[in-house]
Amino acid sequence: MEKKQENTKMEKLISLCKRRGFIFQSAEIYGGLQGFWDYGPLGIELKNNIKKAWWKKFVQERNDVVGLDSSIVTNPTVWEKSGHVGGFSDALVECKKCHHRFKAEDLKGNNKCPDCKGELTEEKQFNTMFKTFIGPTEDTASTAYLRPETAQNIFVQFDNIRQSMRKKVPFGIAQIGKAFRNEITPGNFIFRLREFEQMELEFFVNPKDDRKYFKEFVDASYNFFIDLGIKKENIRKYEQKGKELAHYSKETIDLEYNFPFSGKAGSALGEDKGFAELMGIANRTDYDLKAHGIKYKDDTNKEEFVPYVIEPSAGVDRAMLAFLLDAYEEIDGGRSTTTESNKEKEMVLRLHKDLAPYKVAVLPLSKKDEVSGPTKDLYKELQKHWMVAYDDTSSIGRRYRRQDEIGTPYCVTYDFDSNDDKKVTVRDRDTMEQERIPISDLISYLKDKLDN
Ligand code: GAP
């Protein structure tokens, strides 16, 4: 029963995302393609805002982190040295009865098919890197790969960045960019994709300091989500054990979000239900720099060592799904007092103001020139500061609800009195309180609410 309700929440969110221009199936008119999605006009705003918030916290506000934007396709030697060509594989098992395939790691020791309880085959290795070809011939000499993580490009630019920016360990390099994995079981909307985006920070430290920085980045990553509104009961830290650890990792803590589906297929559906990886923070030790033959010498004290790497790595798409789910609220019977909306369900996306696609919506009470003319002037003025929506269709109640549904924190209504008293009504998405504000104070009023 509970499962059905929760699935419905996911279905409703997917439908909202399509209806209101957040997320569409890739090439939907041709039936789509599993594991690939497109972000529409509101989706790209939300996605950019997530990336902006992450960059601000992990690059802009730190004096020990710099950025990089590297190529998706690079010299294939990178992937040989990193161990990805030989080892970036998933152990797969197949059900002998229903032939569904599962990642062995998702089954957590369960030896029956989670779907039909059938018997499972032995594990088989499957490399999940996407291959491509450089130049006109498809021979092996020209084989290259679409990067499966952004991290390796950071490692191989370690010396260039350190020297050009005169950085000394400890320091970090951050990158936000696309990654590609030929996932066996893409699904759950934008949870597991074949093309996705990562926000990664590789922080290089003296090996003796690894514990200190590991803890720092676990806490900073956790707070990133809490500060942007994720409810504490929906996020937890999970320490990977034994075989769960990647080949390069000494220690990994995943931040898990309570998704409304079974994140780890086949996991015991007890209190664990739904909690699945949102991001990971790994102690990659000196594995990668050693693999690429990169060394480090401190110019001041002449100490030589191969730095350890502490890596917070988050998926933009997966973070977006968590933010959307956490913000989504449905109010039976509606919360407006207008009669037309009394009986309808209302949806509110209580997105953090920094994430909301539009910060403000400007709504003329009438389409008459004396109202719509000055409203459009106001709209133009506000657009210099924020992403602003303009809506002059249907009743004001409906327009408020449309904005609630896409998470717009403030609506500004220009009415017939506005021409005389030079004031507008500002309505708060969450409290639904309305305040009459002088137009001359509007920008500073909204700045106070939105930019602090
Ligand atoms: N550089 C380390 C690394 O890539 P990972 O745990 O494989 O580690 C990091 O990936 C994060 O990237 C995950 O926690 C998740 O948020 C995101 N991610 C990984 N695979 C994904 C996929 N197929 N679809 C969407 N996001 C994915």
Side-chain angles (χ1 to χ4, degrees):
M1 190 62 202
E2 190 197 351
K3 167 115 179 134
K4 189 161 184 280
Q5 264 178 14
E6 289 184 348
N7 277 345
T8 311
K9 179 174 181 183
M10 203 53 191
E11 282 159 19
K12 282 180 189 158
L13 184 74
I14 294 170
S15 148
L16 172 80
C17 283
K18 179 176 173 182
R19 198 160 30 84
R20 302 308 313 274
F22 282 88
I23 305 169
F24 310 117
Q25 256 192 318
S26 170
E28 190 190 83
I29 60 164
Y30 295 115
L33 187 63
Q34 252 207 322
F36 298 90
W37 293 84
D38 291 346
Y39 292 89
L42 297 198
I44 182 65
E45 294 303 328
L46 173 54
K47 209 174 176 208
N48 282 345
N49 290 340
I50 294 171
K51 293 192 275 186
K52 208 155 72 186
W54 187 87
W55 199 261
K56 181 164 184 280
K57 183 174 175 88
F58 290 97
V59 183
Q60 185 184 324
E61 290 178 359
R62 297 188 66 110
N63 56 10
D64 53 4
V65 178
V66 290
L68 173 71
D69 180 18
S70 69
S71 61
I72 284 168
V73 176
T74 186
N75 190 317
T77 312
V78 170
W79 307 111
E80 283 156 27
K81 296 284 185 192
S82 69
H84 283 82
V85 170
F88 193 63
S89 55
D90 278 337
L92 278 192
V93 292
E94 190 174 318
C95 173
K96 290 182 183 170
K97 202 163 130 199
C98 70
H99 298 288
H100 288 172
R101 288 175 170 187
F102 305 94
K103 278 182 165 187
E105 67 172 49
D106 285 344
L107 295 175
K108 304 223 130 193
N110 206 338
N111 58 7
K112 289 277 182 251
C113 171
D115 291 343
C116 74
K117 305 285 169 251
E119 203 184 322
L120 298 168
T121 60
E122 292 288 304
E123 291 180 12
K124 268 189 227 137
Q125 293 300 317
F126 177 86
N127 193 301
T128 52
M129 270 204 298
F130 274 103
K131 268 188 194 166
T132 187
F133 302 96
I134 295 173
T137 53
E138 289 195 5
D139 58 18
T140 46
S142 61
T143 295
Y145 302 93
L146 305 189
R147 66 182 180 203
E149 62 171 7
T150 71
Q152 293 305 321
N153 304 61
I154 294 180
F155 300 135
V156 297
Q157 292 294 1
F158 175 79
D159 275 332
N160 277 334
I161 291 175
R162 183 178 61 79
Q163 284 156 11
S164 59
M165 303 305 291
R166 292 185 291 118
K167 286 288 175 199
K168 281 169 65 161
V169 169
F171 80 99
I173 304 173
Q175 170 156 236
I176 300 179
K178 290 265 180 163
F180 301 80
R181 295 183 192 175
N182 198 358
E183 296 280 4
I184 314 302
T185 50
N188 285 324
F189 195 27
I190 53 168
F191 177 80
R192 188 173 283 160
L193 299 165
R194 288 180 167 139
E195 174 177 342
F196 56 100
E197 216 168 346
Q198 290 186 312
M199 307 184 278
E200 298 204 292
L201 168 56
E202 309 304 318
F203 199 83
F204 303 95
V205 303
N206 190 313
K208 66 178 168 27
D209 296 328
D210 65 342
R211 292 287 318 152
K212 176 180 134 194
Y213 286 103
F214 184 74
K215 194 180 168 321
E216 178 184 325
F217 283 109
V218 170
D219 291 345
S221 302
Y222 179 82
N223 290 335
F224 171 76
F225 287 101
I226 297 293
D227 292 347
L228 287 173
I230 295 281
K231 296 175 198 82
K232 280 198 172 139
E233 64 269 26
N234 285 336
I235 187 167
R236 71 177 188 190
K237 296 171 189 165
Y238 172 83
E239 188 177 349
Q240 291 192 4
K241 295 169 209 90
K243 272 176 79 177
E244 290 174 297
L245 285 169
H247 58 281
Y248 51 72
S249 176
K250 172 175 156 188
E251 187 175 8
T252 297
I253 288 192
D254 286 340
L255 294 185
E256 294 190 331
Y257 181 77
N258 191 10
F259 290 98
F261 47 79
S262 174
K264 295 171 180 174
S267 68
L269 295 181
E271 62 177 59
D272 255 14
K273 181 177 181 302
F275 274 101
E277 181 181 336
L278 173 59
M279 68 166 294
I281 302 96
N283 180 350
R284 292 183 77 125
T285 68
D286 54 9
Y287 178 90
D288 302 277
L289 292 189
K290 262 193 180 154
H292 296 298
I294 297 166
K295 296 190 189 88
Y296 174 78
K297 185 174 179 183
D298 191 305
D299 308 332
T300 326
N301 64 16
K302 308 293 174 214
E303 196 186 349
E304 264 184 74
F305 57 90
V306 181
Y308 269 29
V309 172
I310 307 300
E311 177 197 62
S313 171
V316 181
D317 317 77
R318 210 172 274 190
M320 180 161 166
L321 181 58
F323 283 125
L324 281 168
L325 283 164
D326 222 74
Y328 182 90
E329 204 181 302
E330 203 178 77
I331 299 132
D332 266 333
R335 54 181 193 152
S336 313
T337 48
T338 52
T339 42
E340 64 173 304
S341 60
N342 262 353
K343 291 179 194 66
E344 289 178 25
K345 266 194 179 141
E346 283 184 24
M347 282 172 236
V348 188
L349 266 189
R350 296 190 192 274
L351 287 169
H352 189 280
K353 63 180 174 57
D354 291 353
L355 300 183
Y358 292 121
K359 309 298 177 200
V360 186
V362 175
L363 316 171
L365 202 63
S366 151
K367 282 187 183 170
K368 290 204 169 117
D369 287 351
E370 72 251 43
V371 172
S372 76
T375 316
K376 279 184 184 146
D377 293 342
L378 191 59
Y379 172 48
K380 261 198 173 152
E381 208 42 51
L382 296 181
Q383 279 181 305
K384 291 178 190 160
H385 302 269
W386 305 282
M387 282 300 296
V388 183
Y390 183 89
D391 188 1
D392 61 2
T393 55
S394 70
S395 74
I396 194 72
R398 266 190 203 288
R399 281 185 271 168
Y400 281 153
R401 271 176 286 134
R402 274 208 288 265
Q403 295 304 324
D404 289 345
E405 212 181 18
I406 59 171
T408 309
Y410 297 99
C411 287
V412 172
T413 305
Y414 194 101
D415 56 31
F416 288 101
D417 292 335
S418 301
N419 282 336
D420 298 327
D421 68 2
K422 306 281 178 243
K423 287 181 178 173
V424 284
T425 304
V426 180
R427 178 214 186 239
D428 181 299
R429 176 195 70 198
D430 295 328
T431 62
M432 295 199 304
E433 269 168 26
Q434 303 194 3
E435 254 188 285
R436 205 76 188 146
I437 302 290
I439 295 171
S440 56
D441 294 346
L442 185 64
I443 288 179
S444 69
Y445 173 90
L446 289 171
K447 270 196 171 158
D448 200 46
K449 300 264 184 199
L450 289 166
D451 297 350
N452 291 324

